[in-house]
């Protein structure tokens, strides 16, 4: 393809994160070529991702699950401990598969299974217009070139340009902060295969074993005043901030945080979420342009479902597109109307699913964020009534490719 001037591609995926790569792979498994434009120079992934059974079902469909299973131990049980009232309860995480993966392992296996040259790095998409004659999307890239596509799928994350360009409202911001880290134990840690969540005052702390000597931990709390902008850039400052927040926690937790590996520490504040009512009323398609992953359904990390939901998007989107046999093949054909119908089918199925995920994430985030006892109580009542089984979302099956 000539990069000097206008170029033409059939299916262009903007963003090579979990969702963009998973969609490209799902299409590839169906024999359909796509092009992924990624603004970074290399694959971008740090930290970890909890993958619930619904995510594993999607990974199985993408035929990458068996490799990933070898990289992390299964979590077999869960415990919630409240230090405020010395309460301890079992977390019914179910009998199905839950593992905490390194993001690099996930991203790499998705990319490794793609045909050569599917991902084009260093391609920052600046804007998109519709061709006035063909009504096809035309992407403007930072290097000054433009790219004509028949179909554009925006997988460019929580601050998605494609979503903005097709009129999707920016996600709602919660005044919550989260700190995450990995701690490596020279000999085996003592958590076995158990996930633990500990609460004290406004701090929720979670520990998930990844392997026999490596644990992932996270904490979430209210974000009260503007923190030092330098924190997120410095491992030492992140660890100091986390140590301060867990100072009244058991010594095993304080040690874990203090010994956080420089390999991974992460600080983020102002968590973003696409509310269920915004998801309900948003048209996520304009012509042959749609969105997936965080670009469609940014989610606070409370139910750790953003990544798994993105994998589900990939399976459903590829199924809808190929079900209509609208795109792909040597000529990359497919009528405009059939692509639009396929996108509508995909969106109908995904909206129902992600609205429920978003509602559960919203209620959990609101419970943590609010200072009003009444709103907190209301959110808890709604959660008990609407989600009596708080892990029900993990039993969802996105179906076959
Ligand atoms: C603190 C935190 C913890 C989380 N924990 C979990 C968890 O345990 N389990 C889980 O399932 N989910 C979790 N999530 C959610 C999960 O990380 C996201 O849902 C998932 O990464 C979304 O994937 P994505 O591909 O849609 O977006 P991203 O991973 O953000 O990828 C977007 C890609 O698009 C590229 N891009 C952006 N703009 C452009 C552009 N203009 N041109 C070209 N490329 C562009 C970016 O460089 C990036 O590579 C968590 C999220 C947060 C914030």
């Amino acid at each position: 393809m000539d990069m000097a001037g206008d170029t033409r591609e059939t299916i262009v995926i903007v963003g090579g994160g979990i969702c963009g790569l998973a969609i490209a792979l799902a299409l590839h498994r169906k024999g359909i070529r796509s092009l992924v434009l990624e603004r970074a120079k290399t694959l971008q992934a740090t930290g970890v991702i909890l993958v619930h059974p619904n995510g594993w079902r999607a990974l199985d469909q993408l035929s990458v699950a068996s490799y990933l299973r070898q990289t992390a131990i299964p979590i077999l049980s869960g415990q919630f401990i409240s230090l405020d009232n010395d309460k301890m309860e079992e977390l019914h995480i179910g009998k199905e598969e839950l593992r905490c993966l390194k993001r690099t392992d996930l991203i790499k296996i998705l990319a490794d299974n793609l045909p050569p040259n599917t991902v084009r790095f260093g391609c920052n998409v600046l804007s998109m217009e519709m061709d006035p004659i063909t009504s096809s999307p035309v992407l403007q890239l930072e290097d000054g070139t433009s790219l004509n596509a028949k179909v554009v799928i925006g997988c460019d994350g929580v601050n998605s340009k494609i979503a903005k360009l097709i009129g999707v409202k920016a996600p709602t911001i919660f005044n919550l902060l989260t700190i995450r880290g990995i701690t490596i134990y020279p000999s085996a840690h003592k958590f076995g295969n158990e996930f633990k969540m500990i609460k004290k005052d406004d701090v929720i702390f979670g520990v998930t074993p990844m392997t026999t000597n490596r644990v992932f931990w996270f904490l979430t709390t209210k974000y009260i005043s503007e923190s030092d902008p330098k924190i997120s850039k410095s491992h030492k400052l992140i660890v100091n901030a986390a140590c301060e927040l867990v100072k009244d926690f058991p010594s095993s937790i304080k040690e874990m945080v203090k010994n956080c590996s420089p390999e991974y520490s992460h600080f983020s504040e102002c968590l973003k979420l696409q509310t269920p009512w915004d998801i309900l009323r948003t048209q996520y398609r304009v012509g042959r342009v749609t969105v997936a992953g965080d670009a469609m359904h940014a989610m606070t990390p409370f139910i750790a479902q953003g990544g798994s939901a993105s994998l589900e998007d990939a399976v459903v989107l590829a199924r809808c597109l190929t079900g209509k046999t609208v795109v792909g093949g040597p000529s990359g054909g497919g009528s405009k109307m059939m692509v639009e119908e396929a996108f509508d089918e995909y969106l109908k199925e995904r909206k129902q699913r992600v609205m429920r995920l978003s509602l559960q994430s919203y209620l959990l985030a609101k419970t943590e964020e609010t200072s009003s006892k009444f709103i907190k109580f209301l959110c808890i009542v709604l959660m008990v009534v609407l989600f009596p089984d708080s892990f029900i979302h993990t039993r969802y099956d996105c179906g076959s490719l």
Side-chain angles (χ1 to χ4, degrees), residues 14-20 37-39 44 49-50 103 123-125 155-157 161 178 180 268 292-294 301 304-308 310:
V14 180
I18 293 171
C19 190
L37 303 180
E38 168 55 47
R39 73 175 164 196
Q44 293 295 293
I49 183 153
L50 270 163
R103 278 181 192 247
C123 277
N124 189 8
V125 175
C155 301
D156 46 343
K161 280 211 175 87
T178 172
R180 300 149 60 88
S268 61
D294 278 8
Q305 275 291 343
S308 292
S310 302

Side-chain angles (χ1 to χ4, degrees), residues 188-333:
H189 57 70
K190 298 200 167 59
F191 296 93
N193 295 64
E194 187 170 61
F195 168 68
K196 258 193 181 25
M197 202 133 106
I198 306 167
K199 185 174 182 314
K200 172 127 185 61
D201 302 325
D202 284 334
V203 180
I204 295 178
F205 188 90
V207 191
T208 312
M210 297 174 73
T211 61
T212 48
N213 72 340
R214 182 185 281 264
V215 298
F216 161 64
W217 56 263
F218 63 88
L219 66 81
T220 311
T221 192
K222 271 183 210 162
Y223 147 73
I224 297 153
S225 58
E226 210 157 289
S227 48
D228 180 351
K230 288 197 292 293
I231 291 189
S232 60
K233 304 269 180 294
S234 153
H235 172 71
K236 200 168 151 222
L237 293 180
I238 293 174
V239 174
N240 286 349
C243 283
E244 181 57 28
L245 286 163
V246 298
K247 66 178 190 302
D248 298 325
F249 278 65
S251 56
S252 59
I253 301 296
K254 289 194 274 194
E255 281 298 301
M256 183 190 303
V257 171
K258 201 174 105 200
N259 295 326
C260 175
S261 163
E263 173 193 314
Y264 179 62
S265 57
H266 178 87
F267 178 97
S268 61
E269 51 196 7
C270 298
L271 301 178
K272 294 180 177 172
L273 176 133
Q274 203 74 46
T275 60
W277 34 97
D278 280 340
I279 292 173
L280 178 70
R281 64 181 168 216
T282 301
Q283 251 285 16
Y284 288 98
R285 175 181 74 76
V286 168
R288 278 167 286 168
V289 180
T290 193
V291 283
D294 278 8
M296 178 192 180
H297 47 69
M299 244 173 252
T300 54
F302 286 95
I303 55 170
Q305 275 291 343
S308 292
S310 302
L311 296 167
E312 292 174 2
D313 290 347
V315 173
V316 177
L317 183 50
R319 183 173 64 225
C320 291
L321 277 171
T322 49
K324 297 246 172 230
T325 55
V326 290
V327 282
S331 60

Side-chain angles (χ1 to χ4, degrees), residues 4 7 52 56 88 108 111 123 136 163 196 237 245 252-254 262 318 342 349 360 368 383 389:
T7 54
H52 286 277
W56 286 103
M88 197 165 90
K108 200 167 169 305
C123 277
S136 295
K196 258 193 181 25
L237 293 180
L245 286 163
S252 59
I253 301 296
K254 289 194 274 194
E349 189 169 336
Q360 200 174 355
E368 286 313 305
M383 273 191 298
D389 171 359

Side-chain angles (χ1 to χ4, degrees), residues 111-132:
D112 284 352
N113 277 273
L114 291 171
N117 304 321
T118 301
V119 186
R120 194 175 296 163
F121 291 104
C123 277
N124 189 8
V125 175
L126 294 184
S127 67
M128 181 185 64
E129 283 162 13
M130 298 299 179
D131 184 298

